[in-house]
Amino acid sequence: MNILMLGAPGSGKGTQSEFLCSKKGFKHLSTGDLFRKNISEETKVGLWAKDFIIKGLLVPDEVTNKMVEEFLENDSDNLIFDGYPRNIEQAVELDKMLANNSKKLDYVIYLDIDDSILVERIINRLVCPTCKRSYHKLNRKPKVENICDFDETPLEVRDDDVLEKVNQRLQTYNEQTKPLIDFYKNRLKKIDSNNKSPNEIFKNILDSLGI
Ligand code: ADP
Protein backbone atom coordinates (compact mmCIF):
# COMPACT_ATOMS: atom_id res chain seq x y z
CA MET A 1 0.00 0.00 0.00
CA ASN A 2 1.29 3.48 -0.91
CA ILE A 3 0.11 6.55 0.96
CA LEU A 4 0.53 10.27 0.43
CA MET A 5 0.58 12.67 3.39
CA LEU A 6 -0.96 15.91 2.20
CA GLY A 7 -1.08 19.10 4.24
CA ALA A 8 0.40 22.55 4.70
CA PRO A 9 3.98 23.08 5.93
CA GLY A 10 3.84 22.47 9.67
CA SER A 11 0.65 20.37 9.56
CA GLY A 12 2.44 17.33 11.00
CA LYS A 13 3.16 15.33 7.85
CA GLY A 14 6.71 14.49 8.94
CA THR A 15 5.67 13.44 12.46
CA GLN A 16 2.84 11.20 11.24
CA SER A 17 5.04 9.74 8.50
CA GLU A 18 7.60 8.84 11.14
CA PHE A 19 4.88 7.08 13.22
CA LEU A 20 3.66 5.13 10.19
CA CYS A 21 7.22 4.05 9.40
CA SER A 22 8.29 3.07 12.90
CA LYS A 23 4.97 1.47 13.94
CA LYS A 24 3.61 0.07 10.69
CA GLY A 25 6.71 -0.69 8.66
CA PHE A 26 6.31 1.85 5.87
CA LYS A 27 9.28 3.55 4.22
CA HIS A 28 9.46 7.35 4.17
CA LEU A 29 9.99 9.24 0.92
CA SER A 30 10.34 12.93 1.80
CA THR A 31 11.42 15.08 -1.14
CA GLY A 32 12.30 17.88 1.31
CA ASP A 33 14.68 15.51 3.16
CA LEU A 34 16.14 14.27 -0.13
CA PHE A 35 16.79 17.85 -1.24
CA ARG A 36 18.40 18.75 2.11
CA LYS A 37 20.64 15.66 1.85
CA ASN A 38 21.68 16.74 -1.66
CA ILE A 39 22.36 20.26 -0.40
CA SER A 40 24.55 19.08 2.47
CA GLU A 41 26.46 16.76 0.11
CA GLU A 42 26.76 19.62 -2.42
CA THR A 43 25.53 17.47 -5.31
CA LYS A 44 24.41 18.97 -8.64
CA VAL A 45 20.74 18.55 -7.63
CA GLY A 46 21.48 20.17 -4.27
CA LEU A 47 23.20 23.21 -5.79
CA TRP A 48 20.32 23.59 -8.22
CA ALA A 49 17.54 23.15 -5.61
CA LYS A 50 19.00 25.41 -2.92
CA ASP A 51 17.95 28.74 -4.47
CA PHE A 52 14.33 27.64 -4.82
CA ILE A 53 14.09 26.16 -1.33
CA ILE A 54 15.54 29.19 0.40
CA LYS A 55 12.96 31.37 -1.38
CA GLY A 56 10.07 29.08 -0.34
CA LEU A 57 9.38 28.18 -3.97
CA LEU A 58 8.93 24.75 -5.49
CA VAL A 59 11.96 23.17 -7.07
CA PRO A 60 11.14 22.75 -10.80
CA ASP A 61 9.21 19.57 -11.62
CA GLU A 62 11.81 18.15 -13.98
CA VAL A 63 14.44 17.90 -11.23
CA THR A 64 11.98 16.79 -8.55
CA ASN A 65 10.31 14.12 -10.67
CA LYS A 66 13.69 12.72 -11.73
CA MET A 67 14.82 12.45 -8.10
CA VAL A 68 11.62 10.56 -7.21
CA GLU A 69 11.90 8.34 -10.28
CA GLU A 70 15.39 7.29 -9.18
CA PHE A 71 14.10 6.49 -5.68
CA LEU A 72 11.24 4.39 -7.12
CA GLU A 73 13.68 2.29 -9.14
CA ASN A 74 14.68 0.61 -5.87
CA ASP A 75 11.45 0.80 -3.92
CA SER A 76 7.92 1.44 -5.11
CA ASP A 77 5.62 -0.12 -2.52
CA ASN A 78 4.80 0.42 1.16
CA LEU A 79 5.88 4.03 0.83
CA ILE A 80 4.75 7.16 2.61
CA PHE A 81 5.07 10.07 0.19
CA ASP A 82 5.70 13.22 2.21
CA GLY A 83 5.94 16.52 0.32
CA TYR A 84 5.53 14.91 -3.10
CA PRO A 85 3.43 15.43 -5.20
CA ARG A 86 3.09 19.14 -4.50
CA ASN A 87 1.23 20.19 -7.66
CA ILE A 88 -1.08 18.60 -10.24
CA GLU A 89 1.73 17.99 -12.76
CA GLN A 90 3.72 16.02 -10.18
CA ALA A 91 0.59 14.07 -9.21
CA VAL A 92 -0.02 13.03 -12.83
CA GLU A 93 3.64 12.07 -13.14
CA LEU A 94 3.57 10.00 -9.93
CA ASP A 95 0.54 8.01 -11.09
CA LYS A 96 2.43 7.22 -14.30
CA MET A 97 5.67 6.28 -12.52
CA LEU A 98 3.85 3.95 -10.11
CA ALA A 99 1.82 2.39 -12.94
CA ASN A 100 5.11 1.62 -14.73
CA ASN A 101 6.03 -0.43 -11.66
CA SER A 102 2.52 -1.99 -11.53
CA LYS A 103 1.82 -0.04 -8.33
CA LYS A 104 -0.48 2.82 -7.39
CA LEU A 105 -1.05 5.50 -4.81
CA ASP A 106 -3.78 3.93 -2.69
CA TYR A 107 -4.73 6.60 -0.16
CA VAL A 108 -4.15 10.27 0.48
CA ILE A 109 -4.19 11.39 4.10
CA TYR A 110 -5.07 15.08 4.25
CA LEU A 111 -4.07 16.71 7.55
CA ASP A 112 -6.58 19.53 7.81
CA ILE A 113 -5.46 22.30 10.18
CA ASP A 114 -6.13 26.00 10.67
CA ASP A 115 -3.62 28.36 9.02
CA SER A 116 -3.26 30.37 12.23
CA ILE A 117 -1.47 27.49 13.98
CA LEU A 118 1.06 26.81 11.24
CA VAL A 119 3.31 29.87 11.42
CA GLU A 120 3.79 29.60 15.17
CA ARG A 121 4.65 25.91 14.82
CA ILE A 122 7.16 26.34 12.01
CA ILE A 123 9.11 29.23 13.50
CA ASN A 124 9.48 27.26 16.74
CA ARG A 125 10.50 24.02 15.04
CA LEU A 126 13.77 22.24 15.78
CA VAL A 127 14.77 19.24 13.68
CA CYS A 128 17.19 16.39 14.12
CA PRO A 129 19.43 16.24 11.04
CA THR A 130 20.02 12.51 11.65
CA CYS A 131 16.59 10.96 12.25
CA LYS A 132 14.54 13.96 10.95
CA ARG A 133 12.25 13.99 13.99
CA SER A 134 10.95 17.44 14.83
CA TYR A 135 10.47 19.23 18.15
CA HIS A 136 8.86 22.49 19.23
CA LYS A 137 10.95 25.01 21.19
CA LEU A 138 8.15 25.53 23.74
CA ASN A 139 5.55 22.73 23.49
CA ARG A 140 7.48 19.63 22.51
CA LYS A 141 10.95 20.15 23.90
CA PRO A 142 13.64 17.48 23.82
CA LYS A 143 14.54 15.99 27.22
CA VAL A 144 18.00 17.58 27.08
CA GLU A 145 18.06 21.09 25.66
CA ASN A 146 18.76 21.11 21.93
CA ILE A 147 19.63 17.39 21.76
CA CYS A 148 17.58 14.73 19.96
CA ASP A 149 15.95 12.26 22.41
CA PHE A 150 16.53 9.35 20.04
CA ASP A 151 20.09 9.67 18.77
CA GLU A 152 21.64 12.55 20.76
CA THR A 153 22.36 14.63 17.67
CA PRO A 154 22.36 18.42 18.23
CA LEU A 155 19.09 19.83 16.87
CA GLU A 156 18.97 22.44 14.11
CA VAL A 157 16.68 25.14 12.79
CA ARG A 158 15.98 24.67 9.07
CA ASP A 159 17.15 27.59 6.89
CA ASP A 160 13.62 27.99 5.50
CA ASP A 161 11.87 27.86 8.91
CA VAL A 162 12.18 31.63 9.43
CA LEU A 163 9.23 34.01 9.28
CA GLU A 164 10.14 35.71 5.98
CA LYS A 165 10.24 32.33 4.23
CA VAL A 166 7.26 30.76 5.96
CA ASN A 167 4.68 33.11 4.47
CA GLN A 168 5.97 32.42 0.95
CA ARG A 169 5.85 28.67 1.62
CA LEU A 170 2.24 28.92 2.79
CA GLN A 171 1.36 30.94 -0.30
CA THR A 172 3.04 28.33 -2.53
CA TYR A 173 1.06 25.62 -0.71
CA ASN A 174 -2.26 27.43 -1.09
CA GLU A 175 -1.75 28.16 -4.77
CA GLN A 176 -0.12 24.97 -6.01
CA THR A 177 -0.63 22.12 -3.56
CA LYS A 178 -4.17 22.68 -2.23
CA PRO A 179 -5.75 21.87 -5.63
CA LEU A 180 -4.57 18.29 -4.99
CA ILE A 181 -7.39 17.89 -2.45
CA ASP A 182 -9.83 17.90 -5.35
CA PHE A 183 -7.54 15.94 -7.67
CA TYR A 184 -7.39 13.11 -5.11
CA LYS A 185 -11.01 13.30 -3.91
CA ASN A 186 -11.69 9.60 -4.58
CA ARG A 187 -8.78 8.38 -2.45
CA LEU A 188 -8.78 11.17 0.15
CA LYS A 189 -9.03 10.60 3.92
CA LYS A 190 -9.47 13.94 5.64
CA ILE A 191 -8.14 14.05 9.19
CA ASP A 192 -9.15 16.97 11.38
CA SER A 193 -5.85 17.87 13.04
CA ASN A 194 -6.92 20.87 15.14
CA ASN A 195 -6.54 20.63 18.91
CA LYS A 196 -5.41 17.02 18.87
CA SER A 197 -2.22 15.38 20.10
CA PRO A 198 0.07 13.65 17.58
CA ASN A 199 -1.00 10.27 19.07
CA GLU A 200 -4.70 11.03 18.65
CA ILE A 201 -4.12 12.07 15.05
CA PHE A 202 -2.15 8.89 14.42
CA LYS A 203 -5.03 6.80 15.80
CA ASN A 204 -7.46 8.60 13.49
CA ILE A 205 -5.17 7.92 10.53
CA LEU A 206 -4.98 4.20 11.34
CA ASP A 207 -8.78 4.03 11.76
CA SER A 208 -9.32 5.78 8.43
CA LEU A 209 -6.99 3.31 6.68
CA GLY A 210 -8.42 0.31 8.51
CA ILE A 211 -4.96 -0.87 9.58
P1 ADP B 1 7.49 21.65 4.48
O1 ADP B 1 6.43 20.60 4.23
O2 ADP B 1 7.68 21.99 5.92
O3 ADP B 1 7.31 22.86 3.61
P2 ADP B 1 9.56 20.08 3.05
O4 ADP B 1 10.73 19.55 3.76
O5 ADP B 1 8.55 19.11 2.51
O6 ADP B 1 8.91 21.11 4.05
O7 ADP B 1 10.04 20.97 1.79
C1 ADP B 1 10.99 22.00 1.91
C2 ADP B 1 11.21 22.68 0.56
O8 ADP B 1 11.75 21.72 -0.38
C3 ADP B 1 9.94 23.21 -0.13
O9 ADP B 1 9.59 24.50 0.33
C4 ADP B 1 10.38 23.21 -1.60
O10 ADP B 1 11.22 24.30 -1.89
C5 ADP B 1 11.24 21.96 -1.70
N1 ADP B 1 10.41 20.79 -2.10
C6 ADP B 1 10.09 19.73 -1.31
N2 ADP B 1 9.30 18.87 -1.99
C7 ADP B 1 9.10 19.41 -3.22
C8 ADP B 1 8.35 19.02 -4.38
N3 ADP B 1 7.62 17.89 -4.39
N4 ADP B 1 8.38 19.81 -5.47
C9 ADP B 1 9.12 20.93 -5.49
N5 ADP B 1 9.81 21.38 -4.44
C10 ADP B 1 9.82 20.64 -3.30
Side-chain angles (χ1 to χ4, degrees), residues 7-11 13-14 30-36 39 49-61 64-65 67-68 82-87 90 122 125 158 160-161 165 168-170 172-173:
S11 59
K13 301 186 297 292
S30 157
T31 40
D33 286 345
L34 287 179
F35 281 131
R36 283 185 285 278
I39 292 172
K50 201 172 169 177
D51 283 348
F52 295 94
I53 293 179
I54 201 69
K55 289 187 188 132
L57 302 174
L58 295 189
V59 178
D61 290 346
T64 310
N65 290 337
M67 190 172 72
V68 173
D82 168 5
Y84 180 92
R86 244 177 160 94
N87 60 27
Q90 293 181 4
I122 300 173
R125 179 155 69 181
R158 266 169 49 179
D160 58 348
D161 277 353
K165 312 290 156 82
Q168 177 57 56
R169 282 164 59 204
L170 289 174
T172 304
Y173 169 78

